Amino acid sequence: EGSLGVRKALEGADDTQVAEMLSLVEGNPGLSEQARGELAKLVRGSRPELFRTTVPPWEEEVIYTTAEGLKKRQEQMRRIVHERLPEVFREIGEAAGFGDLSDNAEYTAALEERARLAHKTTEIQDELARARLITREMAQVPHVTVGSLVRARNLESGELEMLKFLGPWDAEPAAGVYSYKAPLSRAFMGRGVGETVVFSGADAQRRWEIVEVAPAL
């Protein structure tokens, strides 16, 4: 049904409308990853000459990050292993001294926290093993990619906004820094100066015109 609607919308659409349609599809958080991919492929296939640079320029299994973002994640790992886990082990020992372990809420809670932290530690170890630093060279291209700094005009307010697309450990949306894997970032990826980006968020649709693309590092 979704594919049929997109096909009908593509009939007679001009290049600008097709570009906006791709932004809508890729920036729609209400669609599953598979649905976004299938619909985006359909839109790109209708105007392949428009989207030569929109294929994600990163390796999906790699986690790209700045050196600062990597340090943040490493510090989180250190705090868990050297601070929080020892605290939990002490809590387990103290709770065990309260008596019957079969009806000991403190003991059960401490064991659950230990399991949660152990899972988190394994998760972070896996992520750190897949981490790769973002370089300035990666972002020295004419379209938005990992490591880009984008100046874009908000087409509703007319104001210029600055957006950086870095790693998941660098993200600070309130400061205009987004993970390159976020839905909003996906809407920008592959776009160049003069192109329109459309993103449908939970609250409203937002539209920008890209004014400048440069390395963020």
Side-chain angles (χ1 to χ4, degrees):
E1 183 178 347
S3 297
L4 180 60
V6 171
R7 285 192 176 92
K8 288 183 177 179
L10 287 169
E11 294 176 2
D14 60 28
D15 288 351
T16 299
Q17 291 168 329
V18 172
E20 290 187 1
M21 198 178 305
L22 182 61
S23 293
L24 277 170
V25 168
E26 294 185 329
N28 191 336
L31 294 173
S32 67
E33 189 72 25
Q34 180 179 355
R36 280 201 301 269
E38 291 176 353
L39 293 175
K41 183 178 180 181
L42 180 61
V43 177
R44 288 194 186 100
S46 72
R47 299 284 200 287
E49 69 279 3
L50 291 179
F51 306 118
R52 285 191 294 268
T53 63
T54 60
V55 177
W58 59 83
E59 298 175 46
E60 292 290 351
E61 293 304 312
V62 171
I63 297 177
Y64 292 96
T65 180
T66 65
E68 292 77 12
L70 180 61
K71 288 178 182 177
K72 286 181 183 178
R73 201 58 166 168
Q74 290 171 331
E75 175 60 17
Q76 185 178 6
M77 180 74 165
R78 187 200 66 78
R79 288 198 303 268
I80 291 175
V81 173
H82 297 288
E83 296 178 15
R84 185 62 187 130
L85 272 174
E87 290 176 356
V88 171
F89 285 127
R90 284 195 297 272
E91 291 168 6
I92 291 173
E94 292 170 359
F98 295 157
D100 185 1
L101 299 183
S102 64
D103 189 27
N104 189 325
E106 289 83 1
Y107 182 74
T108 300
L111 288 180
E112 290 175 350
E113 177 66 1
R114 182 183 66 181
R116 187 189 72 80
L117 290 173
H119 176 76
K120 189 66 177 177
T121 299
T122 300
E123 179 183 279
I124 296 177
Q125 285 176 329
D126 174 67
E127 290 176 346
L128 291 175
R130 293 186 287 119
R132 184 179 301 175
L133 291 180
I134 300 170
T135 65
R136 183 177 177 84
E137 288 71 28
M138 288 175 58
Q140 287 181 323
V141 291
H143 57 272
V144 183
T145 186
V146 180
S148 289
L149 168 65
V150 176
R151 281 202 311 144
R153 189 177 307 281
N154 186 308
L155 294 179
E156 278 66 50
S157 68
E159 295 182 357
L160 282 176
E161 299 180 11
M162 302 283 286
L163 305 94
K164 290 183 180 181
F165 300 108
L166 301 175
W169 307 326
D170 303 293
E172 292 184 42
V177 183
Y178 299 89
S179 166
Y180 65 90
K181 292 189 174 185
L184 182 144
S185 303
R186 295 275 186 167
F188 273 86
M189 290 294 154
R191 305 290 186 273
V193 172
E195 292 192 61
T196 298
V197 176
V198 182
F199 176 70
S200 297
D203 49 354
Q205 184 184 96
R206 302 162 67 187
R207 300 168 68 247
W208 298 266
E209 179 186 355
I210 297 177
V211 175
E212 181 184 3
V213 178
L217 305 178

Coordinates of all heavy atoms in Angstrom, one line a residue, residues 1-13 17-18 21-22 24-25 31 35-36 38-46:
E1 N 0.8 -1.2 0.0 CA 0.0 0.0 0.0 C 0.9 1.3 0.0 O 0.6 2.2 -0.7 CB -0.9 0.0 1.2 CG -1.9 1.2 1.2 CD -2.8 1.1 2.5 OE1 -2.9 0.1 3.1 OE2 -3.4 2.2 2.7
G2 N 1.9 1.3 0.9 CA 2.8 2.4 0.9 C 3.5 2.6 -0.4 O 3.7 3.7 -0.9
S3 N 4.0 1.5 -1.0 CA 4.7 1.6 -2.3 C 3.8 2.1 -3.4 O 4.2 2.9 -4.2 CB 5.2 0.2 -2.7 OG 6.2 -0.2 -1.7
L4 N 2.5 1.7 -3.4 CA 1.6 2.2 -4.4 C 1.4 3.7 -4.3 O 1.3 4.4 -5.3 CB 0.2 1.4 -4.2 CG -0.9 1.8 -5.2 CD1 -0.4 1.6 -6.6 CD2 -2.2 1.1 -4.9
G5 N 1.3 4.2 -3.0 CA 1.1 5.6 -2.8 C 2.3 6.4 -3.3 O 2.1 7.5 -3.9
V6 N 3.5 5.9 -3.0 CA 4.7 6.6 -3.5 C 4.8 6.6 -5.0 O 5.1 7.6 -5.6 CB 5.9 5.9 -2.9 CG1 7.2 6.4 -3.5 CG2 6.0 6.1 -1.4
R7 N 4.4 5.5 -5.6 CA 4.4 5.4 -7.1 C 3.5 6.5 -7.7 O 3.8 7.1 -8.7 CB 4.1 4.0 -7.6 CG 5.2 3.0 -7.4 CD 4.8 1.7 -8.2 NE 5.9 0.7 -8.1 CZ 5.9 -0.2 -7.1 NH1 5.0 -0.3 -6.2 NH2 7.0 -1.1 -7.1
K8 N 2.3 6.6 -7.1 CA 1.3 7.5 -7.6 C 1.9 9.0 -7.4 O 1.7 9.8 -8.3 CB 0.0 7.4 -6.9 CG -0.8 6.1 -7.3 CD -2.1 6.0 -6.6 CE -2.9 4.8 -7.1 NZ -4.2 4.7 -6.4
A9 N 2.5 9.2 -6.3 CA 3.0 10.6 -6.0 C 4.2 10.9 -6.9 O 4.4 12.1 -7.3 CB 3.5 10.7 -4.6
L10 N 4.9 9.9 -7.4 CA 6.1 10.1 -8.2 C 5.6 10.5 -9.7 O 6.4 11.1 -10.4 CB 7.0 8.9 -8.3 CG 7.8 8.6 -7.0 CD1 8.4 7.3 -7.1 CD2 8.9 9.7 -6.9
E11 N 4.5 10.1 -10.1 CA 4.0 10.3 -11.4 C 3.8 11.8 -11.6 O 3.0 12.5 -11.0 CB 2.7 9.6 -11.6 CG 2.8 8.1 -11.6 CD 1.4 7.4 -11.8 OE1 0.4 8.1 -11.9 OE2 1.4 6.1 -11.7
G12 N 4.5 12.4 -12.5 CA 4.4 13.8 -12.8 C 5.1 14.7 -11.9 O 5.1 15.9 -12.1
A13 N 5.8 14.2 -10.8 CA 6.5 15.0 -9.9 C 7.8 15.6 -10.5 O 8.4 14.9 -11.3 CB 6.8 14.3 -8.6
Q17 N 10.3 18.0 -6.1 CA 9.3 17.3 -5.3 C 9.8 15.9 -5.0 O 9.5 15.3 -4.0 CB 8.0 17.2 -6.1 CG 7.3 18.6 -6.2 CD 6.1 18.6 -7.2 OE1 6.2 17.9 -8.3 NE2 5.1 19.4 -7.0
V18 N 10.5 15.3 -6.0 CA 11.0 13.9 -5.8 C 12.1 13.9 -4.7 O 12.1 13.1 -3.8 CB 11.6 13.4 -7.1 CG1 12.4 12.0 -6.8 CG2 10.5 13.1 -8.1
M21 N 10.4 14.2 -1.4 CA 9.7 12.9 -1.1 C 10.7 11.9 -0.5 O 10.4 11.2 0.5 CB 9.1 12.3 -2.4 CG 8.1 11.2 -2.1 SD 7.4 10.6 -3.6 CE 6.8 12.1 -4.4
L22 N 11.9 11.9 -1.0 CA 13.0 11.1 -0.5 C 13.3 11.5 1.0 O 13.4 10.6 1.9 CB 14.2 11.1 -1.3 CG 15.4 10.2 -0.8 CD1 14.9 8.7 -0.8 CD2 16.6 10.3 -1.7
L24 N 11.3 12.9 3.0 CA 10.1 12.6 3.9 C 10.2 11.1 4.2 O 9.9 10.7 5.4 CB 8.8 12.8 3.1 CG 8.3 14.3 3.2 CD1 7.1 14.4 2.2 CD2 7.8 14.6 4.6
V25 N 10.6 10.3 3.3 CA 10.6 8.8 3.5 C 11.7 8.5 4.5 O 11.5 7.8 5.5 CB 10.8 8.1 2.2 CG1 11.2 6.6 2.4 CG2 9.6 8.1 1.3
L31 N 8.2 4.9 10.2 CA 8.4 3.8 9.3 C 9.4 2.8 9.9 O 10.4 3.3 10.5 CB 8.8 4.2 7.9 CG 7.8 5.0 7.1 CD1 8.5 5.5 5.8 CD2 6.6 4.2 6.7
A35 N 10.9 -0.7 5.8 CA 10.0 0.1 5.0 C 10.7 1.3 4.4 O 10.5 1.7 3.2 CB 8.7 0.5 5.8
R36 N 11.5 2.0 5.3 CA 12.2 3.2 4.8 C 13.1 2.8 3.6 O 13.2 3.5 2.6 CB 13.0 3.8 5.9 CG 12.2 4.7 6.9 CD 13.0 5.7 7.6 NE 14.1 5.0 8.4 CZ 13.9 4.7 9.7 NH1 12.7 4.9 10.3 NH2 14.8 4.1 10.4
E38 N 12.9 0.3 1.5 CA 12.2 -0.1 0.3 C 11.6 1.1 -0.4 O 11.7 1.2 -1.6 CB 11.1 -1.1 0.7 CG 11.6 -2.5 1.1 CD 10.5 -3.4 1.5 OE1 9.4 -2.9 1.6 OE2 10.8 -4.6 1.8
L39 N 11.0 2.0 0.4 CA 10.4 3.2 -0.3 C 11.5 4.1 -0.8 O 11.3 4.7 -1.9 CB 9.5 3.9 0.7 CG 8.3 3.1 1.2 CD1 7.5 3.9 2.3 CD2 7.4 2.9 0.0
A40 N 12.6 4.3 -0.1 CA 13.7 5.1 -0.5 C 14.3 4.6 -1.8 O 14.6 5.4 -2.8 CB 14.8 5.3 0.5
K41 N 14.4 3.3 -1.9 CA 14.9 2.7 -3.2 C 14.0 3.0 -4.3 O 14.4 3.2 -5.4 CB 15.1 1.2 -2.9 CG 15.7 0.4 -4.1 CD 15.8 -1.1 -3.8 CE 16.4 -1.8 -5.0 NZ 16.5 -3.3 -4.7
L42 N 12.7 2.9 -4.1 CA 11.7 3.2 -5.1 C 11.8 4.6 -5.6 O 11.8 4.9 -6.8 CB 10.3 3.0 -4.6 CG 9.1 3.2 -5.5 CD1 9.2 2.3 -6.7 CD2 7.8 3.0 -4.8
V43 N 12.0 5.6 -4.6 CA 12.1 7.0 -5.0 C 13.4 7.2 -5.8 O 13.4 7.9 -6.8 CB 12.0 7.9 -3.8 CG1 12.3 9.4 -4.2 CG2 10.7 7.8 -3.1
R44 N 14.5 6.7 -5.3 CA 15.8 6.9 -6.0 C 15.7 6.3 -7.4 O 16.3 6.9 -8.3 CB 16.9 6.2 -5.2 CG 17.3 6.9 -3.9 CD 18.6 6.4 -3.4 NE 18.9 6.9 -2.1 CZ 18.8 6.3 -1.0 NH1 18.3 5.1 -1.0 NH2 19.1 6.9 0.2
G45 N 15.1 5.2 -7.5 CA 15.0 4.5 -8.8 C 14.2 5.3 -9.9 O 14.4 5.2 -11.1
S46 N 13.3 6.2 -9.4 CA 12.6 7.1 -10.3 C 13.4 8.2 -10.9 O 13.1 8.7 -12.0 CB 11.4 7.6 -9.6 OG 11.7 8.7 -8.7

